[in-house]
Amino acid sequence: MPARSLPLVVGALVLALAGCAGSTTAGEAPPEPPAATVAAATGDFPLTLDNCGVEVTLDAPPERVVTIKSSATEMVLALGAGDRVVGTAFPDGPAPEALAAEAETLPVLADKVPAAEVVLETLPDLVYAGWESNLTAEGAGDRATLAGLGVATYVSPSACKDPAYQPERLTFDDVFAEITEVAAMLGVPEDGDALVAEQRDALAAVARDDRGLTALWYSSGTDVPYVGAGIGAPQMLLDTVGLTNIAAGVQDTWASFSWEQVAQDDPDVIVLVDSAWNSADQKRELLAGSPATANLTAVREERYLVVPFPASEAGVRNVDAAADLAEQLAALDV
């Protein structure tokens, strides 16, 4: 496309987005899953997927991909398609060592959710988001509107909010299914199969702790802690390494908890999520300095495990995170 025509095209797309914003009625019941969708297993095109209740059709593998959230960016990189990424956004922290060099070369569109016009300036044919909330008229663009403009969208299935699509309890099979599905979309199913096989082998080698220890997965929050609850990646990782989540009874991926309940449960171990905006060190200082938490056994004895934020969401880093948490846990004298 000639460079001089780009502003006109982008302007038209942005006007289309603006015209369609707010077209979904608040409180409207979610649509029934499409009757005819094709499972992504072979990478054949055209490819039709049912993604969080949205029918997504790709006529060919996307060549210009925008990724929102580290989990989406790292998935594309791990599948060897980093050369197709024309923009990234909402990084949660540095990429793992194996992907870091390539990740640093990718253009960053925004520190958080990019505006629709910023996304459209890259002329993407696919926007891959870690959360459904990334794809709204106020954010990177409404999914239906983007589809009408020829831009396919995909959300990590673990992040689907409609109960009909949300995993009842995330498992590594769900994570591997996303790897397979994204590989099919990118037209590299063999790379997906190879990555899944490699991760299954690594997962089988993770040692499970048998001491019956309890844990708090502390993601963020000061007055009210935001914790890993009972159905998402934090629960999956705690189960894998042999820790009992004190918030396992909360039927959500992450949820607000209470320091009073944490004090009552007095977990043996606290998992600190290390993010770009709220580091593990900041959490240590908060826990040690707050009257509500300073007397927790795990705080007094500094029984902490640390996990990078991108590894706390479903994606290609979960297996490595499980192995790392297991090693940290084995080193704790409890």
Side-chain angles (χ1 to χ4, degrees):
M1 178 176 294
R4 55 189 169 83
S5 66
L6 179 58
L8 296 176
V9 173
V10 173
L13 296 181
V14 172
L15 286 173
L17 278 170
C20 294
S23 60
T24 300
T25 303
E28 183 177 331
E32 291 293 323
T37 56
V38 180
T42 62
D44 294 334
F45 291 88
L47 181 65
T48 300
L49 310 172
D50 182 3
N51 176 237
C52 297
V54 175
E55 186 174 288
V56 179
T57 299
L58 293 167
D59 293 327
E63 294 296 330
R64 299 182 64 81
V65 181
V66 169
T67 57
I68 305 174
K69 298 289 290 179
S70 292
S71 55
T73 303
E74 292 169 9
M75 178 73 77
V76 176
L77 291 175
L79 289 168
D83 58 337
R84 306 189 211 175
V85 177
V86 294
T88 67
F90 214 145
D92 300 303
E97 184 177 353
L99 305 175
E102 187 173 13
E104 289 175 1
T105 68
L106 302 178
V108 178
L109 304 180
D111 291 336
K112 296 294 183 181
V113 181
E117 56 267 28
V118 174
V119 171
L120 292 170
E121 283 175 356
T122 70
L123 298 180
D125 44 20
L126 173 67
V127 179
Y128 177 12
W131 295 344
E132 279 191 287
S133 59
N134 300 151
L135 297 174
T136 65
E138 296 75 23
D142 173 78
R143 297 189 73 177
T145 306
L146 287 170
L149 299 172
V151 181
T153 57
Y154 182 82
V155 174
S156 174
S158 66
C160 297
K161 299 307 291 183
D162 183 343
Y165 292 91
Q166 187 180 63
E168 184 175 343
R169 186 162 178 161
L170 188 72
T171 68
F172 274 101
D173 283 339
D174 296 319
V175 175
F176 299 151
E178 180 176 352
I179 294 174
T180 300
E181 192 163 73
V182 175
M185 286 197 304
L186 295 173
V188 291
E190 298 85 359
D191 293 316
D193 291 342
L195 181 56
V196 168
E198 176 186 320
Q199 294 214 343
R200 284 192 185 278
D201 288 344
L203 180 62
V206 174
R208 181 180 172 85
D209 193 278
D210 60 2
R211 289 175 284 181
L213 303 176
T214 60
L216 167 71
W217 185 288
Y218 179 27
S219 184
S220 63
T222 53
D223 294 338
V224 176
Y226 197 57
V227 307
I231 68 171
Q235 181 67 50
M236 177 182 71
L237 292 170
L238 293 174
D239 284 340
T240 301
V241 301
L243 289 169
T244 298
N245 184 6
I246 65 170
V250 181
Q251 294 299 299
D252 208 338
T253 49
W254 289 267
S256 298
F257 209 53
S258 74
W259 289 125
E260 291 79 8
Q261 186 62 51
V262 173
Q264 181 178 323
D265 294 333
D266 196 18
D268 298 306
V269 173
I270 298 177
V271 179
L272 303 176
V273 178
D274 193 29
S275 66
W277 58 89
N278 187 207
S279 71
D281 287 341
Q282 289 174 305
K283 293 183 176 75
R284 287 176 189 263
E285 292 179 10
L286 173 70
L287 291 169
S290 170
T293 54
N295 289 321
L296 291 172
T297 303
V299 174
R300 292 198 319 268
E301 301 190 11
E302 297 190 343
R303 295 179 189 160
Y304 296 123
L305 309 180
V306 178
V307 62
F309 187 100
S312 73
E313 300 194 311
V316 295
R317 293 179 73 170
N318 293 154
V319 172
D320 285 344
D324 184 50
L325 286 171
E327 289 182 6
Q328 293 181 58
L329 182 58
L332 284 182
D333 183 13
V334 182

